[in-house]
Amino acid sequence: DVKVTQSSRYLVKRTGEKVFLECVQDMDHENMFWYRQDPGLGLRLIYFSYDVKMKEKGDIPEGYSVSREKKERFSLILESASTNQTSMYLCASSAPRDYNYGYTFGSGTRLTVV
Amino acid sequence: EDKVVQSPLSLVVHEGDTVTLNCSYEVTNFRSLLWYKQEKKAPTFLFMLTSSGIEKKSGRLSSILDKKELFSILNITATQTGDSAIYLCAVEDGSSNTGKLIFGQGTTLQVKP
């Protein structure tokens, strides 16, 4: 069964900490995405990557960076965590032209910044 | 600015009821519209729609797209408590090959016994 795995289900971090959220997929997908999900706002795109070492900003990249050194791994970095980054973070992957299945999502990381 | 709007934002029904969830969109380069169901964990894929007027069905769920009026509906008949979830609508941005999805706010459905 295809999988997108996010390293942590729940995280609690302090304001100002550097936070790493890891995502690994085993489907050899080219595209990977990081979204955050907040009540009433739906899923908002933070960053995406369409190839190793390639990245593009999404709609809300401020305060975040990403790294994709290997095809299967896409990391989201909060350089200095703030309370307004408390949210559910979802990673997803897809293959170009894979019109039958859209994204495959990870189970999410619920991050609380205190 | 591209956007996807879902309505209602939340809905409470009783088992056996039929529900209709709405999704309207304004996306410059429309490629497809997708529906997902999200329970406690990862959203799971329900439907992908690319052509107007062709209904897609899976059991008690069905969906249809109207590309002229720029909306889609998701119908659930004979609802069960297991249908309680957040239903997400997303439109694929066709301006690149990355398959970027633009999501609506989601509709939270609660089905009471």
Side-chain angles (χ1 to χ4, degrees), chain A residues 9 31 33 35 37 40-43 45 48 50 59 88 90 94 96-103 105-107, chain B residues 9 31-32 34 36 38 40-43 45 48 86 88 92 96-106:
Chain A
R9 188 88 177 97
N31 304 325
F33 307 83
Y35 285 84
Q37 184 176 24
L41 297 177
L43 275 70
L45 181 63
F48 64 102
Y50 51 91
D59 300 317
M88 169 70 88
L90 287 166
S94 73
R97 306 293 176 180
D98 186 358
Y99 287 134
N100 291 323
Y101 299 105
Y103 287 5
F105 282 93
S107 295
Chain B
L9 294 183
R31 179 175 281 160
S32 65
L34 297 94
Y36 289 85
Q38 184 181 22
K40 296 293 186 185
K41 297 183 178 180
F45 173 82
M48 176 181 280
I86 299 173
L88 299 168
E92 185 181 2
S96 73
N97 285 333
T98 56
K100 188 175 81 167
L101 293 182
I102 303 161
F103 283 86
Q105 316 96 304

Side-chain angles (χ1 to χ4, degrees), chain A residues 16-82:
Chain A
E17 276 193 79
K18 190 169 186 176
V19 181
F20 293 85
L21 303 183
E22 305 288 345
C23 176
V24 177
Q25 51 98 359
D26 65 0
M27 297 164 285
D28 202 35
H29 281 172
E30 286 80 359
N31 304 325
M32 296 188 75
F33 307 83
W34 276 107
Y35 285 84
R36 64 177 282 177
Q37 184 176 24
D38 301 288
L41 297 177
L43 275 70
R44 293 179 291 165
L45 181 63
I46 305 171
Y47 267 97
F48 64 102
S49 168
Y50 51 91
D51 202 351
V52 175
K53 297 191 187 292
M54 306 302 286
K55 60 187 180 186
E56 283 196 30
K57 293 179 180 179
D59 300 317
I60 51 164
E62 296 78 18
Y64 303 95
S65 62
V66 290
S67 172
R68 191 160 181 207
E69 296 296 320
K70 293 185 178 181
K71 191 175 185 180
E72 66 270 18
R73 186 180 296 270
F74 192 35
S75 303
L76 180 69
I77 304 154
L78 286 67
E79 298 291 343
S80 177
S82 63

Side-chain angles (χ1 to χ4, degrees), chain B:
Chain B
E1 182 184 337
D2 293 337
K3 63 180 179 181
V4 177
V5 177
Q6 292 184 244
S7 64
L9 294 183
S10 65
L11 191 56
V12 181
V13 300
H14 287 93
E15 274 192 318
D17 289 349
T18 293
V19 298
T20 298
L21 309 183
N22 303 293
C23 177
S24 64
Y25 61 91
E26 295 176 24
V27 176
T28 305
N29 291 294
F30 174 92
R31 179 175 281 160
S32 65
L33 186 144
L34 297 94
W35 285 96
Y36 289 85
K37 178 182 181 182
Q38 184 181 22
E39 297 173 89
K40 296 293 186 185
K41 297 183 178 180
T44 54
F45 173 82
L46 293 175
F47 298 111
M48 176 181 280
L49 304 158
T50 56
S51 300
S52 269
I54 299 174
E55 185 182 50
K56 293 214 171 179
K57 290 196 72 164
S58 176
R60 295 175 295 101
L61 278 66
S62 64
S63 184
I64 197 161
L65 173 67
D66 185 328
K67 291 171 75 174
K68 182 179 176 185
E69 300 297 329
L70 307 182
F71 77 92
S72 173
I73 59 172
L74 175 68
N75 279 319
I76 309 174
T77 59
T79 52
Q80 302 171 356
T81 55
D83 295 325
S84 297
I86 299 173
Y87 290 85
L88 299 168
C89 173
V91 171
E92 185 181 2
D93 178 0
S95 60
S96 73
N97 285 333
T98 56
K100 188 175 81 167
L101 293 182
I102 303 161
F103 283 86
Q105 316 96 304
T107 294
T108 301
L109 173 65
Q110 183 183 358
V111 182
K112 291 188 171 182

Side-chain angles (χ1 to χ4, degrees), chain A residues 5-11 20-22 89 107-110:
Chain A
T5 303
Q6 293 184 230
S7 55
S8 303
R9 188 88 177 97
Y10 298 95
L11 272 181
F20 293 85
L21 303 183
E22 305 288 345
Y89 290 87
S107 295
T109 296
R110 186 164 293 281

